[in-house]
PDB file of all heavy atoms in Angstrom:
ATOM      1  N   VAL A  44      13.437   5.984  -4.011  1.00 96.00           N
ATOM      2  CA  VAL A  44      12.721   7.040  -3.325  1.00 96.00           C
ATOM      3  C   VAL A  44      13.139   8.400  -3.893  1.00 96.00           C
ATOM      4  O   VAL A  44      14.300   8.653  -4.088  1.00 96.00           O
ATOM      5  CB  VAL A  44      13.031   7.028  -1.802  1.00 96.00           C
ATOM      6  CG1 VAL A  44      12.531   8.276  -1.104  1.00 96.00           C
ATOM      7  CG2 VAL A  44      12.428   5.769  -1.159  1.00 96.00           C
ATOM      8  N   LYS A  45      12.138   9.248  -4.194  1.00 96.00           N
ATOM      9  CA  LYS A  45      12.391  10.645  -4.619  1.00 96.00           C
ATOM     10  C   LYS A  45      11.723  11.551  -3.582  1.00 96.00           C
ATOM     11  O   LYS A  45      10.529  11.474  -3.389  1.00 96.00           O
ATOM     12  CB  LYS A  45      11.749  10.891  -5.995  1.00 96.00           C
ATOM     13  CG  LYS A  45      12.433  10.132  -7.116  1.00 96.00           C
ATOM     14  CD  LYS A  45      13.706  10.836  -7.581  1.00 96.00           C
ATOM     15  CE  LYS A  45      14.537   9.967  -8.493  1.00 96.00           C
ATOM     16  NZ  LYS A  45      15.959  10.351  -8.483  1.00 96.00           N
ATOM     17  N   ILE A  46      12.502  12.383  -2.940  1.00 97.00           N
ATOM     18  CA  ILE A  46      11.916  13.230  -1.898  1.00 97.00           C
ATOM     19  C   ILE A  46      11.763  14.661  -2.401  1.00 97.00           C
ATOM     20  O   ILE A  46      12.433  15.106  -3.306  1.00 97.00           O
ATOM     21  CB  ILE A  46      12.794  13.234  -0.604  1.00 97.00           C
ATOM     22  CG1 ILE A  46      14.168  13.856  -0.847  1.00 97.00           C
ATOM     23  CG2 ILE A  46      12.927  11.847  -0.055  1.00 97.00           C
ATOM     24  CD1 ILE A  46      15.009  13.976   0.409  1.00 97.00           C
ATOM     25  N   ASP A  47      10.831  15.366  -1.750  1.00 95.00           N
ATOM     26  CA  ASP A  47      10.510  16.719  -2.103  1.00 95.00           C
ATOM     27  C   ASP A  47      10.786  17.603  -0.854  1.00 95.00           C
ATOM     28  O   ASP A  47      10.089  17.456   0.142  1.00 95.00           O
ATOM     29  CB  ASP A  47       9.041  16.796  -2.498  1.00 95.00           C
ATOM     30  CG  ASP A  47       8.845  17.569  -3.765  1.00 95.00           C
ATOM     31  OD1 ASP A  47       9.525  18.610  -3.894  1.00 95.00           O
ATOM     32  OD2 ASP A  47       8.054  17.116  -4.596  1.00 95.00           O
ATOM     33  N   GLY A  48      11.761  18.488  -0.927  1.00 96.00           N
ATOM     34  CA  GLY A  48      12.112  19.318   0.206  1.00 96.00           C
ATOM     35  C   GLY A  48      11.350  20.608   0.198  1.00 96.00           C
ATOM     36  O   GLY A  48      10.972  21.101  -0.860  1.00 96.00           O
ATOM     37  N   THR A  49      11.124  21.191   1.373  1.00 96.00           N
ATOM     38  CA  THR A  49      10.380  22.421   1.488  1.00 96.00           C
ATOM     39  C   THR A  49      11.168  23.601   0.973  1.00 96.00           C
ATOM     40  O   THR A  49      10.666  24.541   0.378  1.00 96.00           O
ATOM     41  CB  THR A  49      10.012  22.683   2.957  1.00 96.00           C
ATOM     42  OG1 THR A  49       9.295  21.552   3.382  1.00 96.00           O
ATOM     43  CG2 THR A  49       9.152  23.915   3.106  1.00 96.00           C
ATOM     44  N   SER A  50      12.502  23.592   1.252  1.00 95.00           N
ATOM     45  CA  SER A  50      13.324  24.715   0.864  1.00 95.00           C
ATOM     46  C   SER A  50      14.562  24.200   0.156  1.00 95.00           C
ATOM     47  O   SER A  50      15.254  23.314   0.638  1.00 95.00           O
ATOM     48  CB  SER A  50      13.752  25.446   2.165  1.00 95.00           C
ATOM     49  OG  SER A  50      14.663  26.482   1.858  1.00 95.00           O
ATOM     50  N   ARG A  51      14.855  24.784  -1.031  1.00 94.00           N
ATOM     51  CA  ARG A  51      16.041  24.379  -1.777  1.00 94.00           C
ATOM     52  C   ARG A  51      17.223  25.213  -1.262  1.00 94.00           C
ATOM     53  O   ARG A  51      17.635  26.174  -1.927  1.00 94.00           O
ATOM     54  CB  ARG A  51      15.845  24.591  -3.263  1.00 94.00           C
ATOM     55  CG  ARG A  51      14.707  23.766  -3.849  1.00 94.00           C
ATOM     56  CD  ARG A  51      14.683  23.891  -5.356  1.00 94.00           C
ATOM     57  NE  ARG A  51      13.428  23.342  -5.896  1.00 94.00           N
ATOM     58  CZ  ARG A  51      12.386  24.081  -6.271  1.00 94.00           C
ATOM     59  NH1 ARG A  51      12.436  25.395  -6.196  1.00 94.00           N
ATOM     60  NH2 ARG A  51      11.307  23.476  -6.727  1.00 94.00           N
ATOM     61  N   THR A  52      17.717  24.872  -0.110  1.00 96.00           N
ATOM     62  CA  THR A  52      18.783  25.676   0.485  1.00 96.00           C
ATOM     63  C   THR A  52      20.040  25.622  -0.373  1.00 96.00           C
ATOM     64  O   THR A  52      20.360  24.625  -0.982  1.00 96.00           O
ATOM     65  CB  THR A  52      19.124  25.201   1.929  1.00 96.00           C
ATOM     66  OG1 THR A  52      19.496  23.814   1.878  1.00 96.00           O
ATOM     67  CG2 THR A  52      17.959  25.371   2.847  1.00 96.00           C
ATOM     68  N   ASP A  53      20.755  26.784  -0.408  1.00 95.00           N
ATOM     69  CA  ASP A  53      21.982  26.922  -1.202  1.00 95.00           C
ATOM     70  C   ASP A  53      23.175  26.227  -0.561  1.00 95.00           C
ATOM     71  O   ASP A  53      23.142  25.895   0.623  1.00 95.00           O
ATOM     72  CB  ASP A  53      22.319  28.418  -1.336  1.00 95.00           C
ATOM     73  CG  ASP A  53      21.564  29.093  -2.436  1.00 95.00           C
ATOM     74  OD1 ASP A  53      21.040  28.382  -3.329  1.00 95.00           O
ATOM     75  OD2 ASP A  53      21.477  30.338  -2.426  1.00 95.00           O
ATOM     76  N   ARG A  54      24.233  26.088  -1.343  1.00 96.00           N
ATOM     77  CA  ARG A  54      25.517  25.587  -0.848  1.00 96.00           C
ATOM     78  C   ARG A  54      25.946  26.335   0.406  1.00 96.00           C
ATOM     79  O   ARG A  54      25.972  27.557   0.419  1.00 96.00           O
ATOM     80  CB  ARG A  54      26.560  25.791  -1.953  1.00 96.00           C
ATOM     81  CG  ARG A  54      28.015  25.700  -1.527  1.00 96.00           C
ATOM     82  CD  ARG A  54      28.933  26.201  -2.622  1.00 96.00           C
ATOM     83  NE  ARG A  54      28.997  25.242  -3.707  1.00 96.00           N
ATOM     84  CZ  ARG A  54      29.840  24.215  -3.744  1.00 96.00           C
ATOM     85  NH1 ARG A  54      30.751  24.060  -2.789  1.00 96.00           N
ATOM     86  NH2 ARG A  54      29.864  23.385  -4.745  1.00 96.00           N
ATOM     87  N   GLY A  55      26.241  25.581   1.462  1.00 96.00           N
ATOM     88  CA  GLY A  55      26.779  26.223   2.688  1.00 96.00           C
ATOM     89  C   GLY A  55      25.701  26.578   3.715  1.00 96.00           C
ATOM     90  O   GLY A  55      26.043  26.853   4.856  1.00 96.00           O
ATOM     91  N   VAL A  56      24.435  26.590   3.300  1.00 98.00           N
ATOM     92  CA  VAL A  56      23.339  26.908   4.237  1.00 98.00           C
ATOM     93  C   VAL A  56      23.029  25.684   5.089  1.00 98.00           C
ATOM     94  O   VAL A  56      23.035  24.567   4.594  1.00 98.00           O
ATOM     95  CB  VAL A  56      22.082  27.382   3.463  1.00 98.00           C
ATOM     96  CG1 VAL A  56      20.898  27.585   4.423  1.00 98.00           C
ATOM     97  CG2 VAL A  56      22.370  28.660   2.683  1.00 98.00           C
ATOM     98  N   HIS A  57      22.754  25.923   6.374  1.00 98.00           N
ATOM     99  CA  HIS A  57      22.481  24.833   7.328  1.00 98.00           C
ATOM    100  C   HIS A  57      20.985  24.691   7.576  1.00 98.00           C
ATOM    101  O   HIS A  57      20.208  25.573   7.278  1.00 98.00           O
ATOM    102  CB  HIS A  57      23.196  25.143   8.678  1.00 98.00           C
ATOM    103  CG  HIS A  57      24.593  25.574   8.478  1.00 98.00           C
ATOM    104  ND1 HIS A  57      25.598  24.735   8.075  1.00 98.00           N
ATOM    105  CD2 HIS A  57      25.211  26.787   8.639  1.00 98.00           C
ATOM    106  CE1 HIS A  57      26.729  25.372   8.000  1.00 98.00           C
ATOM    107  NE2 HIS A  57      26.523  26.644   8.342  1.00 98.00           N
ATOM    108  N   ALA A  58      20.617  23.579   8.206  1.00 98.00           N
ATOM    109  CA  ALA A  58      19.211  23.399   8.598  1.00 98.00           C
ATOM    110  C   ALA A  58      19.083  22.606   9.878  1.00 98.00           C
ATOM    111  O   ALA A  58      19.845  21.660  10.114  1.00 98.00           O
ATOM    112  CB  ALA A  58      18.469  22.658   7.467  1.00 98.00           C
ATOM    113  N   LEU A  59      18.161  23.059  10.708  1.00 97.00           N
ATOM    114  CA  LEU A  59      17.800  22.297  11.885  1.00 97.00           C
ATOM    115  C   LEU A  59      16.370  21.758  11.728  1.00 97.00           C
ATOM    116  O   LEU A  59      16.003  20.796  12.397  1.00 97.00           O
ATOM    117  CB  LEU A  59      17.913  23.171  13.138  1.00 97.00           C
ATOM    118  CG  LEU A  59      19.379  23.430  13.552  1.00 97.00           C
ATOM    119  CD1 LEU A  59      19.474  24.621  14.471  1.00 97.00           C
ATOM    120  CD2 LEU A  59      19.947  22.185  14.211  1.00 97.00           C
ATOM    121  N   GLY A  60      15.598  22.394  10.845  1.00 97.00           N
ATOM    122  CA  GLY A  60      14.212  22.008  10.718  1.00 97.00           C
ATOM    123  C   GLY A  60      13.726  21.963   9.265  1.00 97.00           C
ATOM    124  O   GLY A  60      12.606  22.376   8.994  1.00 97.00           O
ATOM    125  N   GLN A  61      14.592  21.499   8.366  1.00 98.00           N
ATOM    126  CA  GLN A  61      14.142  21.270   6.988  1.00 98.00           C
ATOM    127  C   GLN A  61      13.057  20.185   7.010  1.00 98.00           C
ATOM    128  O   GLN A  61      13.060  19.342   7.909  1.00 98.00           O
ATOM    129  CB  GLN A  61      15.329  20.820   6.123  1.00 98.00           C
ATOM    130  CG  GLN A  61      15.016  20.318   4.732  1.00 98.00           C
ATOM    131  CD  GLN A  61      14.649  21.418   3.734  1.00 98.00           C
ATOM    132  OE1 GLN A  61      13.559  22.010   3.831  1.00 98.00           O
ATOM    133  NE2 GLN A  61      15.550  21.672   2.792  1.00 98.00           N
TER     134      GLN A  61
END
Side-chain angles (χ1 to χ4, degrees):
Chain A
V44 168
K45 291 280 169 205
I46 65 176
D47 226 318
T49 304
S50 175
R51 298 187 192 101
T52 57
D53 277 341
R54 163 192 286 273
V56 174
H57 313 290
L59 287 161
Q61 170 74 289

